[in-house]
Amino acid sequence: MKKTILILMMTIASLNLCSSQNIETEKVFGGYKFTQSGDKMTMGDLVKTMEPNEQAYDLMKKARSNNILASVIGFAGGGLIGWPIGAALGGGDPNWALAGIGAGLVVVSIPISSSANKKAKQAVDLYNESLNSTSMNGLRPEFEFVANGNGIGISMAF
């Protein structure tokens, strides 16, 4: 009897561990931080992880593309802002038109980055939903203590 209960408890514990591959999402300034089992995940890691789930994979690839585009535009804008500021600090003749163009590029990169973050969050939610629905094949066991003419035991119903 003790062995049966021990085996049952170990089975339940292992089923719970199998479903612990969810990707956790944490809201941070400027977007989200994604972790799995305590390890931080990059966009590339997320794309590789979501490959088995086609919908989440496609959405994450779009999020990654938007993130790369926003980073390139934001980097170029920051450089165009920094160049005239560096010239002004160095005593040269700054071209403030470049700084204005750079500021415009930075402003353009913000909604693109925001869109990438929203798509990444949606992809992670889709991925986690698919894990939760397939773990234990959607079955939720119910346990009940039973006492009858044969003795005392635990009943498990799906």
Side-chain angles (χ1 to χ4, degrees):
M1 182 67 175
K2 289 181 183 180
K3 287 182 182 179
T4 306
I5 292 174
L6 182 63
I7 290 171
L8 180 66
M9 298 301 266
M10 290 176 66
T11 303
I12 293 169
S14 67
L15 289 174
N16 286 335
L17 289 175
C18 290
S19 65
S20 69
Q21 295 302 315
N22 283 351
I23 299 171
E24 292 93 32
T25 306
E26 182 183 341
K27 182 83 170 142
V28 295
F29 180 74
Y32 295 96
K33 180 177 107 176
F34 301 104
T35 56
Q36 186 176 35
S37 302
D39 298 328
K40 186 176 178 184
M41 299 185 76
T42 64
M43 285 283 191
D45 295 334
L46 289 169
V47 171
K48 288 177 189 172
T49 303
M50 293 183 189
E51 203 164 350
N53 184 329
E54 194 172 330
Q55 280 183 315
Y57 179 68
D58 291 340
L59 202 55
M60 186 51 77
K61 283 193 331 186
K62 289 176 187 175
R64 183 179 177 193
S65 297
N66 283 355
N67 190 42
I68 291 170
L69 178 64
S71 296
V72 168
I73 292 172
F75 181 77
L80 289 174
I81 292 170
W83 189 272
I85 291 174
L89 291 175
D93 186 26
N95 184 354
W96 294 112
L98 285 179
I101 293 169
L105 288 175
V106 169
V107 168
V108 166
S109 72
I110 292 171
I112 296 171
S113 179
S114 176
S115 170
N117 286 325
K118 287 178 185 174
K119 286 180 182 172
K121 173 84 167 84
Q122 287 174 346
V124 167
D125 289 344
L126 273 173
Y127 177 77
N128 286 340
E129 285 175 17
S130 72
L131 285 181
N132 292 337
S133 67
T134 58
S135 67
M136 295 176 52
N137 298 324
L139 301 176
R140 299 283 180 229
E142 295 178 13
F143 297 97
E144 183 178 318
F145 286 102
V146 178
N148 58 24
N150 294 332
I152 297 174
I154 298 174
S155 168
M156 180 170 64
F158 294 95

